[in-house]
């Protein structure tokens, strides 16, 4: 297999945001009279407005997205990088890579700046595509912007919806078990329990030189 580029999801892969997102969704669910656990299961790898549509079809997704963004803004100082993220991204500085996230551009870029994580030239956000994860559009767009075929991309994802999207786009997928057990990431081609393991897999595929 020839690998030319790496595409990273952000939440749960590069930013350790699960606890902050859980607080946001729990507060929102409580305020809307919804079961928090049911709503939480719908959130991973998806745009907030898409989760709202599935969890509460009677609510306006655009209005609720603004409310959720407001709650998330209060959590901005409680979202550190995932262990090993900075080292891995700096090691990739000579290789093509991108971030592909369902998150908001302004929020993600602010968190990268605050935590010192480097931003790649190619960044695809939830608002950049009409059909978000689990549709393959976001990964296809990132590959196109990098000038490579999706089949030459390795995707690092922690959520089943994101894995489905990457597989549908034709990418090879490493499932990172930060937010889900390996059994829930069964559609991934490989699994890793840490970004250190991801680095080893990328070294094996020629994207990184073992330091």
């Amino acid at each position: 297999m020839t690998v030319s580029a790496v595409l990273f999801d952000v939440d749960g892969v590069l930013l350790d945001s699960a606890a902050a997102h859980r607080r946001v969704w729990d507060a929102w669910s409580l305020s809307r009279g919804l079961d928090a656990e049911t709503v939480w299961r719908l959130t991973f790898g998806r745009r907030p407005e898409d989760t709202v549509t599935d969890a509460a079809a009677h609510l306006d997704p655009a209005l609720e997205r603004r409310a959720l963004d407001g709650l998330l803004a209060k959590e901005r100082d409680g979202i550190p990088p995932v262990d090993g993220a900075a080292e891995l991204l700096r090691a990739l500085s000579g290789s093509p890579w991108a971030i592909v996230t369902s998150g908001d551009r302004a929020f993600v870029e602010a968190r990268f700046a605050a935590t010192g994580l480097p931003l790649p030239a190619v960044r695809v956000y939830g608002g950049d595509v009409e059909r978000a994860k689990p549709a393959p559009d976001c990964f296809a767009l990132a590959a196109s912007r990098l000038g490579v075929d999706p089949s030459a991309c390795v995707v690092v994802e922690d959520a089943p919806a994101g894995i489905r999207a990457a597989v549908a786009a034709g990418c090879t997928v490493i499932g990172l078990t930060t937010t889900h057990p390996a059994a829930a990431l069964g559609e991934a081609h490989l699994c890793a329990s840490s970004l250190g393991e991801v680095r080893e897999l990328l070294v094996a595929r020629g994207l990184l030189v073992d330091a």
Side-chain angles (χ1 to χ4, degrees):
M1 179 184 65
T2 300
V3 176
S4 301
V6 187
L7 313 180
F8 292 95
D9 179 37
V10 172
D11 290 305
V13 173
L14 299 176
L15 292 178
D16 187 5
S17 56
H21 281 289
R22 183 67 195 252
R23 289 190 291 270
V24 166
W25 282 106
D26 282 359
W28 179 83
S29 299
L30 180 63
S31 70
R32 302 305 191 266
L34 302 170
D35 180 71
E37 193 62 38
T38 299
V39 172
W40 178 240
R41 289 196 296 268
L42 297 171
T43 65
F44 287 94
R46 308 178 68 214
R47 293 183 299 198
E49 57 267 39
D50 296 332
T51 296
V52 170
T53 297
D54 285 352
H58 61 288
L59 298 176
D60 183 320
L63 289 176
E64 299 305 321
R65 171 64 190 261
R66 289 196 285 274
L68 286 159
D69 285 347
L71 290 170
L72 186 59
K74 299 175 183 177
E75 297 282 349
R76 61 183 178 271
D77 295 329
I79 302 179
V82 170
D83 287 346
E87 295 81 0
L88 175 56
L89 297 184
R90 292 193 180 99
L92 277 167
S93 61
S95 301
W97 66 281
I99 57 172
V100 183
T101 174
S102 296
D104 173 71
R105 178 186 300 272
F107 185 84
V108 169
E109 294 185 3
R111 290 316 306 148
F112 270 58
T115 57
L117 293 180
L119 276 167
V122 173
R123 309 186 285 273
V124 175
Y125 298 94
D128 293 336
V129 292
E130 183 175 346
R131 299 188 309 152
K133 301 174 187 178
D137 306 36
C138 53
F139 290 111
L141 178 59
S144 175
R145 288 179 175 176
L146 286 169
V148 300
D149 193 89
S151 64
C153 295
V154 168
V155 170
V156 185
E157 261 282 0
D158 71 305
I163 290 171
R164 285 195 296 275
V167 169
C171 305
T172 298
V173 186
I174 300 173
L176 186 63
T177 59
T178 48
T179 60
H180 293 78
L185 308 180
E187 293 182 62
H189 299 92
L190 303 160
C191 275
S193 62
S194 68
L195 289 179
E197 286 189 30
V198 170
R199 180 170 181 157
E200 292 174 4
L201 291 169
L202 296 179
V203 167
R205 281 152 181 78
L207 261 292
L208 287 173
V209 176
D210 199 3

